[in-house]
Amino acid sequence: MEKYVINGGNKLYGGVKIQSAKNSVLPILAAAVLTDGTITILDVPQITDVSNMVKILTRLGCKAVFSGDNLIIDSSSANCFEIPSGLAHELRSSVFLLGSLVSRFKMAKIAFPGGCDIGLRPVDLHLTGLKRLGVEITEESGYILCKCEKLMGNEIMLDCPSVGATENIMLAAVKAEGTTVIKNAAREPEIEDLQKFLNMIGAKVRGAGSGTVVIEGVRSLGGATFKPIHDRIEAGTFLVATAMCGGEVELECSCAENLSSLLHKLRENGCIIRIKNDKISLESSRRLTSVKTIETQPYPGFPTDLQAQITALCCICRGQSIITENLFETRFKYVPELRKMGADITVINRSAFVRGVDKFKGATVVAHDLRGGAALVLASLAAEGVSEVLDISHIDRGYGRFEQKLGSLGGDIKRVAV
Ligand code: UD1
C-alpha cells in the first residue's frame, strides 16, 4: 500500500508531455487478440490498467513484451478463451475481450468485470449487441459464457451510446460474415482511434466519431505499428491542477479539439488558454470565478472522467456551482473527502451543490476511485498545509508517473509506502 504526502500551496509552472490515452490503448490491446500479425503500440502509458490487461493477454497465451514505452504483442500463440475472476475483477476493460475472444475462438468465458466502483456499470448493451451477431450467451456463477457457430453481421441499435459496448461490438464484427451497422454508437475520440487501428490491420470500419459505425467483415487481419491519440483526461487533469494552484503550464498534446467542453468551462472560470501547434497552455493568475452549471454528457459533452476534478476546482472558486453527473450514479464518493479539506458541498441525487470557499486545508483523505482520487491530489496541491492521499492504487490505474510530472511542475508530492 502506498500514499501520497503533499505539501500544498506551490504554483505550477512548466511543460508536461501527455501520455497516450488509456481509453484508446485498452480496446486496442483487446483488438490484438483478433490477429496473428505483430502489433506494436507506441508510447504506452505506465499505468496498472495496462499492466493488468497485459497480464490477461499473457494468460490467454499471447506474447506481450515492452521495449521501453512501446508494447509488442504477438497473439499467434493465443490458446485460451477464459479470463478468471481474479484478473477480470482488476479491470473492467477485460469485458472488451468478449468480442475479440468470441471472434477468434467462437467461445469466451469471462468473470463479470471489475474496475472503478462508480455505479452499477451494467454490461447488458455489450451482451445484447453480441447476441445480435449470433452469439449465444449464458450467465453462471459469476461468469459470462459466449458461444457461436459463426458471427454474422447485423444492425444493432444501442439504447444509449455506451463507449464499451460500441467498441466490443466493433471488435466482434470485424471478422463477422457480412456488414454490421451500430446505431446510436458512442462518438468518443477513442472510438475513432480504435477504428483507425483496426483499419490499419486490414479491417473495414467507417463512421466512428459519428452516431453510426459500419463494419464490413473481412477474413483476416495483419499487423501494424500504431501510435494512439493523447489522453484528453490526463491533459484535462493537468489543466485543472494549474487552474487550482495558479501558475502556467504548457501541455504537449494534440487533443485540444477533444477537450473543448473543458476548455470552454476553464475560460469561463477566468483562465487564459492558448492552443497552437499541438500544444495547450493555461495561465491562472488570480482566484477564479465559478461556472454556474456543469453537466456530464457523452462526448462531445463534458466528460464524466473530468467531473471530480472540475468539482474540486469549483470548491475554491468565487461563487456557487451545480455539477450534475448523468452517467454514473455513485461518482461523488470523493465529496466527503473534499469536505474534510474544508469544501462546502452538498450532494442531492445526481447533483453536487458547491459554495466556493477561499482555500482547501490540508487533511488525510482516501481515494475511492481513479478520477475522484486525482481530484483529491489536485485539492491537496492547492491546499494550505500538508495532506495525505491514501489508497493511491486507484490513481495508478490511469495516471502514469503522476507524481513525477506534478513534481516537475513544482508540486511538492511524494509517494510513501504505508
Ligand atoms: C468508458 C470509459 C470510462 C468513461 C466512460 C464514459 C474506457 C475503458 N472507459 O467506460 O473512462 O468514464 O466510458 O465516458 O473507455 N451502460 C449500460 N449498459 C451497458 C453499458 C453501459 O446501461 O451495457 C450505461 C452505463 O451505466 C453508463 C453509460 O451507459 O451510464 C455509459 O457507460 P459506458 O459508455 O459504457 O462506459 P464504459 O465503456 O464502461
Side-chain angles (χ1 to χ4, degrees):
M1 289 272 273
E2 289 175 317
K3 65 182 176 184
Y4 280 139
V5 178
I6 298 168
N7 192 359
N10 292 358
K11 292 190 174 184
L12 303 181
Y13 288 97
V16 178
K17 188 170 176 278
I18 294 304
Q19 68 188 20
S20 295
K22 164 176 96 69
N23 290 353
S24 273
V25 172
L26 293 173
I28 290 169
L29 289 177
V33 174
L34 292 170
T35 178
D36 283 345
T38 302
I39 305 295
T40 304
I41 309 171
L42 305 178
D43 272 342
V44 174
Q46 302 292 325
I47 56 179
T48 53
D49 265 10
V50 166
S51 54
N52 283 328
M53 193 66 163
V54 167
K55 262 190 226 159
I56 293 175
L57 290 179
T58 309
R59 167 73 190 232
L60 297 174
C62 309
K63 293 192 187 82
V65 286
F66 273 99
S67 161
D69 280 344
N70 303 333
L71 178 60
I72 302 150
I73 306 161
D74 171 2
S75 301
S76 57
S77 49
N79 56 6
C80 171
F81 54 80
E82 178 177 340
I83 304 176
S85 55
L87 285 173
H89 285 147
E90 290 287 317
L91 179 68
R92 181 177 162 82
S93 307
S94 54
V95 77
F96 296 138
L97 280 157
L98 273 181
S100 300
L101 287 176
V102 83
S103 169
R104 181 165 187 137
F105 295 107
K106 309 286 170 273
M107 297 271 276
K109 182 174 177 188
I110 300 191
F112 271 98
C116 269
D117 180 15
I118 53 172
L120 289 171
R121 302 192 82 159
V123 290
D124 55 315
L125 300 176
H126 299 241
L127 303 185
T128 312
L130 294 177
K131 280 184 196 157
R132 297 274 301 159
L133 299 181
V135 182
E136 218 178 274
I137 298 178
T138 47
E139 295 173 29
E140 61 176 52
S141 40
Y143 277 83
I144 305 168
L145 300 169
C146 295
K147 248 198 283 182
C148 71
E149 293 278 309
K150 64 176 173 183
L151 290 163
M152 294 289 292
N154 205 342
E155 188 174 298
I156 295 159
M157 173 80 195
L158 295 178
D159 287 345
C160 72
S162 154
V163 175
T166 303
E167 292 171 338
N168 214 347
I169 297 164
M170 283 165 75
L171 296 180
V174 158
K175 286 167 89 179
E177 207 173 292
T179 302
T180 299
V181 180
I182 310 173
K183 295 196 165 164
N184 197 26
R187 293 185 285 160
E188 268 65 4
E190 291 77 16
I191 293 171
E192 250 183 286
D193 215 30
L194 178 62
Q195 165 177 287
K196 198 168 154 203
F197 169 77
L198 289 170
N199 287 342
M200 220 179 205
I201 61 171
K204 285 192 178 163
V205 187
R206 60 180 192 276
S210 77
T212 304
V213 181
V214 180
I215 306 118
E216 284 173 53
V218 296
R219 278 182 188 278
S220 68
L221 298 168
T225 295
F226 188 74
K227 183 163 166 35
I229 53 170
H230 287 124
D231 196 317
R232 61 196 166 100
I233 306 302
E234 189 204 25
T237 303
F238 279 99
L239 294 176
V240 176
T242 312
M244 290 173 72
C245 293
E248 187 169 358
V249 290
E250 184 175 74
L251 306 184
E252 224 177 282
C253 67
S254 43
C255 53
E257 180 67 30
N258 301 340
L259 264 177
S260 47
S261 58
L262 173 73
L263 299 182
H264 180 69
K265 291 293 176 194
L266 289 174
R267 283 192 173 115
E268 235 178 289
N269 278 129
C271 297
I272 298 166
I273 293 171
R274 297 184 193 90
I275 298 157
K276 62 170 185 199
N277 303 340
D278 295 351
K279 294 216 162 73
I280 308 176
S281 67
L282 178 143
E283 192 185 330
S284 159
S285 53
R286 57 198 159 83
R287 187 163 175 218
L288 302 174
T289 313
S290 65
V291 287
K292 297 283 164 283
T293 56
I294 297 170
E295 283 211 26
T296 64
Q297 299 288 356
Y299 189 83
F302 193 92
T304 174
D305 286 351
L306 286 170
Q307 179 262 105
Q309 299 89 317
I310 198 90
T311 302
L313 167 62
C314 291
C315 287
I316 49 168
C317 285
R318 194 180 303 114
Q320 302 188 2
S321 313
I322 303 173
I323 298 100
T324 303
E325 171 57 56
N326 288 312
L327 277 92
F328 296 112
E329 28 330 281
T330 59
R331 232 177 182 180
F332 283 125
K333 284 191 174 165
Y334 63 90
V335 164
E337 307 300 318
L338 284 184
R339 270 206 217 108
K340 290 183 199 163
M341 304 183 72
D344 184 350
I345 318 184
T346 313
V347 176
I348 302 173
N349 300 325
R350 286 174 169 267
S351 296
F353 296 81
V354 178
R355 283 161 295 270
V357 296
D358 268 358
K359 273 193 174 124
F360 284 117
K361 295 186 292 285
T364 297
V365 290
V366 185
H368 295 291
D369 59 58
L370 167 58
R371 306 303 172 185
L376 297 176
V377 170
L378 306 195
S380 304
L381 288 166
E384 200 171 71
V386 177
S387 297
E388 295 199 347
V389 181
L390 311 181
D391 282 2
I392 59 173
S393 59
H394 292 291
I395 300 171
D396 293 335
R397 287 190 35 228
Y399 293 92
R401 307 183 178 118
F402 200 31
E403 68 273 19
Q404 284 93 327
K405 288 182 175 184
L406 289 166
S408 77
L409 296 176
D412 185 347
I413 170 168
K414 284 185 197 68
R415 178 183 289 263
V416 175
V418 178

